[in-house]
Short mmCIF file of all heavy atoms in Angstrom, two decimals:
data_model
loop_
_atom_site.label_atom_id
_atom_site.label_comp_id
_atom_site.label_asym_id
_atom_site.label_seq_id
_atom_site.Cartn_x
_atom_site.Cartn_y
_atom_site.Cartn_z
N PRO G 48 23.10 -183.07 -140.43
CA PRO G 48 23.24 -182.27 -139.21
C PRO G 48 24.02 -180.97 -139.51
O PRO G 48 24.91 -180.97 -140.34
CB PRO G 48 24.03 -183.16 -138.25
CG PRO G 48 24.09 -184.49 -138.88
CD PRO G 48 23.75 -184.36 -140.33
N GLY G 49 23.66 -179.95 -138.82
CA GLY G 49 24.39 -178.70 -138.98
C GLY G 49 24.06 -177.92 -140.23
O GLY G 49 24.82 -177.07 -140.67
N SER G 50 22.90 -178.16 -140.81
CA SER G 50 22.49 -177.41 -142.01
C SER G 50 21.78 -176.13 -141.60
O SER G 50 20.68 -176.18 -141.04
CB SER G 50 21.56 -178.27 -142.87
OG SER G 50 20.94 -177.46 -143.84
N PRO G 51 22.36 -174.97 -141.88
CA PRO G 51 21.69 -173.72 -141.52
C PRO G 51 20.35 -173.55 -142.26
O PRO G 51 19.42 -172.96 -141.71
CB PRO G 51 22.69 -172.63 -141.91
CG PRO G 51 23.62 -173.27 -142.87
CD PRO G 51 23.64 -174.74 -142.55
N GLU G 52 20.26 -174.09 -143.47
CA GLU G 52 19.02 -173.97 -144.23
C GLU G 52 17.86 -174.67 -143.53
O GLU G 52 16.73 -174.17 -143.52
CB GLU G 52 19.19 -174.55 -145.65
CG GLU G 52 20.12 -173.77 -146.54
CD GLU G 52 21.60 -174.12 -146.34
OE1 GLU G 52 21.92 -175.05 -145.54
OE2 GLU G 52 22.44 -173.48 -146.98
N ILE G 53 18.14 -175.81 -142.93
CA ILE G 53 17.08 -176.55 -142.24
C ILE G 53 16.62 -175.79 -141.00
O ILE G 53 15.42 -175.66 -140.76
CB ILE G 53 17.53 -177.98 -141.91
CG1 ILE G 53 17.86 -178.75 -143.21
CG2 ILE G 53 16.44 -178.72 -141.12
CD1 ILE G 53 18.54 -180.10 -143.00
N TYR G 54 17.57 -175.28 -140.23
CA TYR G 54 17.19 -174.47 -139.06
C TYR G 54 16.38 -173.25 -139.48
O TYR G 54 15.41 -172.87 -138.82
CB TYR G 54 18.43 -174.04 -138.26
CG TYR G 54 19.10 -175.15 -137.52
CD1 TYR G 54 20.39 -175.54 -137.84
CD2 TYR G 54 18.43 -175.84 -136.49
CE1 TYR G 54 21.01 -176.57 -137.15
CE2 TYR G 54 19.05 -176.87 -135.80
CZ TYR G 54 20.34 -177.24 -136.14
OH TYR G 54 20.95 -178.26 -135.46
N CYS G 55 16.75 -172.67 -140.60
CA CYS G 55 16.04 -171.51 -141.11
C CYS G 55 14.61 -171.89 -141.50
O CYS G 55 13.65 -171.15 -141.22
CB CYS G 55 16.79 -170.91 -142.28
SG CYS G 55 16.21 -169.28 -142.77
N ASN G 56 14.45 -173.05 -142.12
CA ASN G 56 13.10 -173.51 -142.49
C ASN G 56 12.26 -173.77 -141.25
O ASN G 56 11.06 -173.47 -141.23
CB ASN G 56 13.18 -174.76 -143.36
CG ASN G 56 13.45 -174.42 -144.80
OD1 ASN G 56 13.53 -173.28 -145.19
ND2 ASN G 56 13.60 -175.45 -145.62
N ILE G 57 12.87 -174.33 -140.22
CA ILE G 57 12.15 -174.53 -138.96
C ILE G 57 11.71 -173.17 -138.40
O ILE G 57 10.59 -173.02 -137.95
CB ILE G 57 13.00 -175.31 -137.94
CG1 ILE G 57 13.24 -176.75 -138.44
CG2 ILE G 57 12.34 -175.31 -136.56
CD1 ILE G 57 14.25 -177.53 -137.63
N SER G 58 12.59 -172.19 -138.48
CA SER G 58 12.22 -170.85 -137.98
C SER G 58 11.06 -170.27 -138.77
O SER G 58 10.20 -169.60 -138.21
CB SER G 58 13.43 -169.90 -137.98
OG SER G 58 13.76 -169.46 -139.28
N ASN G 59 10.99 -170.56 -140.08
CA ASN G 59 9.85 -170.10 -140.88
C ASN G 59 8.53 -170.64 -140.34
O ASN G 59 7.55 -169.91 -140.21
CB ASN G 59 10.00 -170.53 -142.34
CG ASN G 59 10.93 -169.65 -143.12
OD1 ASN G 59 11.03 -168.46 -142.89
ND2 ASN G 59 11.66 -170.27 -144.05
N VAL G 60 8.52 -171.93 -140.05
CA VAL G 60 7.28 -172.56 -139.53
C VAL G 60 6.92 -171.95 -138.18
O VAL G 60 5.75 -171.66 -137.92
CB VAL G 60 7.46 -174.09 -139.41
CG1 VAL G 60 6.25 -174.73 -138.74
CG2 VAL G 60 7.69 -174.70 -140.78
N LEU G 61 7.92 -171.73 -137.35
CA LEU G 61 7.65 -171.14 -136.03
C LEU G 61 7.14 -169.71 -136.17
O LEU G 61 6.23 -169.30 -135.45
CB LEU G 61 8.91 -171.22 -135.16
CG LEU G 61 9.33 -172.66 -134.82
CD1 LEU G 61 10.74 -172.67 -134.23
CD2 LEU G 61 8.33 -173.33 -133.90
N LEU G 62 7.70 -168.96 -137.11
CA LEU G 62 7.20 -167.61 -137.37
C LEU G 62 5.76 -167.65 -137.86
O LEU G 62 4.93 -166.83 -137.45
CB LEU G 62 8.08 -166.89 -138.40
CG LEU G 62 9.42 -166.37 -137.92
CD1 LEU G 62 10.27 -165.92 -139.10
CD2 LEU G 62 9.24 -165.25 -136.92
N ASP G 63 5.46 -168.61 -138.72
CA ASP G 63 4.09 -168.77 -139.23
C ASP G 63 3.10 -168.96 -138.08
O ASP G 63 1.94 -168.61 -138.20
CB ASP G 63 3.98 -169.98 -140.16
CG ASP G 63 4.70 -169.78 -141.48
OD1 ASP G 63 5.00 -168.63 -141.86
OD2 ASP G 63 4.96 -170.80 -142.15
N GLN G 64 3.57 -169.56 -136.99
CA GLN G 64 2.70 -169.85 -135.85
C GLN G 64 2.86 -168.84 -134.71
O GLN G 64 2.38 -169.07 -133.61
CB GLN G 64 3.02 -171.26 -135.32
CG GLN G 64 2.78 -172.33 -136.35
CD GLN G 64 3.21 -173.68 -135.83
OE1 GLN G 64 2.40 -174.38 -135.20
NE2 GLN G 64 4.46 -174.04 -136.04
N SER G 65 3.58 -167.75 -134.99
CA SER G 65 3.84 -166.70 -134.00
C SER G 65 4.56 -167.22 -132.76
O SER G 65 4.38 -166.70 -131.67
CB SER G 65 2.55 -165.97 -133.61
OG SER G 65 1.98 -165.36 -134.74
N GLN G 66 5.39 -168.21 -132.94
CA GLN G 66 6.23 -168.73 -131.86
C GLN G 66 7.59 -168.03 -131.96
O GLN G 66 8.58 -168.62 -132.39
CB GLN G 66 6.36 -170.25 -131.95
CG GLN G 66 5.04 -170.97 -131.74
CD GLN G 66 5.19 -172.48 -131.88
OE1 GLN G 66 6.27 -173.04 -131.72
NE2 GLN G 66 4.08 -173.13 -132.18
N ILE G 67 7.59 -166.76 -131.59
CA ILE G 67 8.71 -165.87 -131.86
C ILE G 67 10.00 -166.28 -131.13
O ILE G 67 11.05 -166.40 -131.75
CB ILE G 67 8.33 -164.41 -131.56
CG1 ILE G 67 7.07 -164.01 -132.34
CG2 ILE G 67 9.48 -163.47 -131.86
CD1 ILE G 67 7.12 -164.20 -133.84
N PRO G 68 9.97 -166.50 -129.81
CA PRO G 68 11.22 -166.88 -129.14
C PRO G 68 11.83 -168.16 -129.72
O PRO G 68 13.06 -168.26 -129.89
CB PRO G 68 10.82 -167.07 -127.67
CG PRO G 68 9.56 -166.27 -127.52
CD PRO G 68 8.86 -166.35 -128.85
N GLU G 69 10.97 -169.11 -130.05
CA GLU G 69 11.45 -170.37 -130.62
C GLU G 69 12.05 -170.14 -132.00
O GLU G 69 13.08 -170.73 -132.35
CB GLU G 69 10.31 -171.39 -130.71
CG GLU G 69 9.76 -171.83 -129.36
CD GLU G 69 8.67 -170.90 -128.80
OE1 GLU G 69 8.44 -169.81 -129.37
OE2 GLU G 69 8.06 -171.27 -127.78
N ALA G 70 11.42 -169.27 -132.79
CA ALA G 70 11.95 -168.94 -134.13
C ALA G 70 13.32 -168.29 -134.00
O ALA G 70 14.24 -168.59 -134.79
CB ALA G 70 10.98 -168.04 -134.87
N ILE G 71 13.46 -167.40 -133.04
CA ILE G 71 14.76 -166.72 -132.82
C ILE G 71 15.83 -167.75 -132.49
O ILE G 71 16.95 -167.69 -133.01
CB ILE G 71 14.63 -165.64 -131.74
CG1 ILE G 71 13.81 -164.46 -132.28
CG2 ILE G 71 16.01 -165.18 -131.26
CD1 ILE G 71 13.44 -163.41 -131.25
N ARG G 72 15.50 -168.72 -131.64
CA ARG G 72 16.48 -169.76 -131.28
C ARG G 72 16.93 -170.53 -132.51
O ARG G 72 18.11 -170.85 -132.66
CB ARG G 72 15.91 -170.69 -130.22
CG ARG G 72 16.01 -170.13 -128.81
CD ARG G 72 15.78 -171.18 -127.74
NE ARG G 72 14.41 -171.69 -127.72
CZ ARG G 72 13.39 -171.08 -127.12
NH1 ARG G 72 13.58 -169.94 -126.49
NH2 ARG G 72 12.19 -171.62 -127.15
N GLU G 73 16.00 -170.84 -133.41
CA GLU G 73 16.38 -171.58 -134.63
C GLU G 73 17.27 -170.72 -135.53
O GLU G 73 18.20 -171.23 -136.14
CB GLU G 73 15.13 -172.07 -135.37
CG GLU G 73 14.30 -173.08 -134.60
CD GLU G 73 15.06 -174.33 -134.21
OE1 GLU G 73 15.80 -174.90 -135.04
OE2 GLU G 73 14.89 -174.78 -133.05
N CYS G 74 16.98 -169.44 -135.60
CA CYS G 74 17.82 -168.54 -136.40
C CYS G 74 19.22 -168.47 -135.80
O CYS G 74 20.22 -168.47 -136.53
CB CYS G 74 17.21 -167.13 -136.43
SG CYS G 74 15.71 -166.99 -137.38
N GLU G 75 19.28 -168.42 -134.47
CA GLU G 75 20.58 -168.39 -133.81
C GLU G 75 21.39 -169.65 -134.12
O GLU G 75 22.60 -169.59 -134.31
CB GLU G 75 20.41 -168.21 -132.30
CG GLU G 75 19.96 -166.82 -131.93
CD GLU G 75 19.49 -166.67 -130.48
OE1 GLU G 75 19.21 -167.71 -129.80
OE2 GLU G 75 19.40 -165.51 -130.01
N LYS G 76 20.71 -170.81 -134.17
CA LYS G 76 21.40 -172.06 -134.53
C LYS G 76 21.95 -171.96 -135.95
O LYS G 76 23.10 -172.34 -136.21
CB LYS G 76 20.44 -173.24 -134.44
CG LYS G 76 20.05 -173.60 -133.02
CD LYS G 76 19.01 -174.74 -133.03
CE LYS G 76 18.43 -175.00 -131.69
NZ LYS G 76 17.37 -176.05 -131.74
N ALA G 77 21.15 -171.44 -136.87
CA ALA G 77 21.59 -171.30 -138.27
C ALA G 77 22.78 -170.35 -138.36
O ALA G 77 23.77 -170.63 -139.05
CB ALA G 77 20.44 -170.81 -139.14
N LEU G 78 22.71 -169.24 -137.64
CA LEU G 78 23.77 -168.24 -137.72
C LEU G 78 25.04 -168.68 -137.00
O LEU G 78 26.13 -168.23 -137.34
CB LEU G 78 23.27 -166.90 -137.19
CG LEU G 78 22.19 -166.25 -138.06
CD1 LEU G 78 21.56 -165.05 -137.37
CD2 LEU G 78 22.76 -165.86 -139.42
N ALA G 79 24.90 -169.56 -136.01
CA ALA G 79 26.09 -170.13 -135.36
C ALA G 79 26.88 -170.99 -136.34
O ALA G 79 28.10 -171.08 -136.25
CB ALA G 79 25.68 -170.94 -134.13
N ILE G 80 26.19 -171.57 -137.30
CA ILE G 80 26.84 -172.41 -138.31
C ILE G 80 27.37 -171.55 -139.45
O ILE G 80 28.48 -171.76 -139.94
CB ILE G 80 25.85 -173.45 -138.85
CG1 ILE G 80 25.43 -174.40 -137.73
CG2 ILE G 80 26.44 -174.23 -140.02
CD1 ILE G 80 24.16 -175.18 -138.03
N ASN G 81 26.58 -170.57 -139.88
CA ASN G 81 26.97 -169.68 -140.98
C ASN G 81 26.51 -168.28 -140.66
O ASN G 81 25.35 -167.93 -140.87
CB ASN G 81 26.37 -170.16 -142.31
CG ASN G 81 26.72 -169.26 -143.47
OD1 ASN G 81 27.36 -168.23 -143.31
ND2 ASN G 81 26.28 -169.64 -144.66
N SER G 82 27.42 -167.47 -140.14
CA SER G 82 27.07 -166.12 -139.69
C SER G 82 26.68 -165.18 -140.83
O SER G 82 26.14 -164.11 -140.59
CB SER G 82 28.24 -165.51 -138.91
OG SER G 82 29.37 -165.36 -139.76
N GLU G 83 26.92 -165.60 -142.07
CA GLU G 83 26.58 -164.78 -143.24
C GLU G 83 25.32 -165.27 -143.94
O GLU G 83 25.04 -164.83 -145.06
CB GLU G 83 27.75 -164.78 -144.22
CG GLU G 83 29.03 -164.18 -143.66
CD GLU G 83 28.88 -162.71 -143.33
OE1 GLU G 83 28.44 -161.95 -144.20
OE2 GLU G 83 29.21 -162.32 -142.18
N PHE G 84 24.58 -166.17 -143.32
CA PHE G 84 23.39 -166.74 -143.96
C PHE G 84 22.25 -165.71 -143.90
O PHE G 84 21.57 -165.54 -142.90
CB PHE G 84 23.02 -168.05 -143.28
CG PHE G 84 21.92 -168.81 -143.97
CD1 PHE G 84 21.83 -168.89 -145.35
CD2 PHE G 84 20.96 -169.47 -143.23
CE1 PHE G 84 20.82 -169.59 -145.98
CE2 PHE G 84 19.94 -170.19 -143.83
CZ PHE G 84 19.87 -170.23 -145.22
N ALA G 85 22.04 -165.04 -145.03
CA ALA G 85 21.12 -163.90 -145.09
C ALA G 85 19.67 -164.29 -144.77
O ALA G 85 18.95 -163.52 -144.14
CB ALA G 85 21.19 -163.25 -146.46
N ASP G 86 19.24 -165.47 -145.20
CA ASP G 86 17.86 -165.88 -144.92
C ASP G 86 17.59 -165.98 -143.42
O ASP G 86 16.51 -165.64 -142.95
CB ASP G 86 17.54 -167.21 -145.61
CG ASP G 86 17.46 -167.08 -147.12
OD1 ASP G 86 17.72 -165.99 -147.66
OD2 ASP G 86 17.13 -168.07 -147.78
N ALA G 87 18.59 -166.45 -142.67
CA ALA G 87 18.43 -166.54 -141.21
C ALA G 87 18.41 -165.14 -140.59
O ALA G 87 17.66 -164.88 -139.65
CB ALA G 87 19.53 -167.40 -140.61
#
C-alpha cells in the first residue's frame, strides 16, 4: 500500500485508454505520497 510507482502504473493504463480524469487522480495519489516522483 502507498506505492507511488503502482499508482503511476495505473495512470499509464488509464492514459492508454484516454481515461484522462481518472489518470490524473492516480497521479495525484502518487504525488501525495512522493511529491518528487518524476514519472507521476
Side-chain angles (χ1 to χ4, degrees):
S50 167
E52 292 85 3
I53 298 170
Y54 289 116
C55 193
N56 279 357
I57 294 170
S58 75
N59 280 326
V60 174
L61 295 168
L62 284 170
D63 291 342
Q64 299 176 89
S65 299
Q66 295 178 23
I67 305 305
E69 295 86 351
I71 289 172
R72 279 194 293 279
E73 296 301 316
C74 291
E75 288 168 344
K76 290 176 188 177
L78 293 170
I80 297 163
N81 178 356
S82 64
E83 298 296 309
F84 187 39
D86 290 4

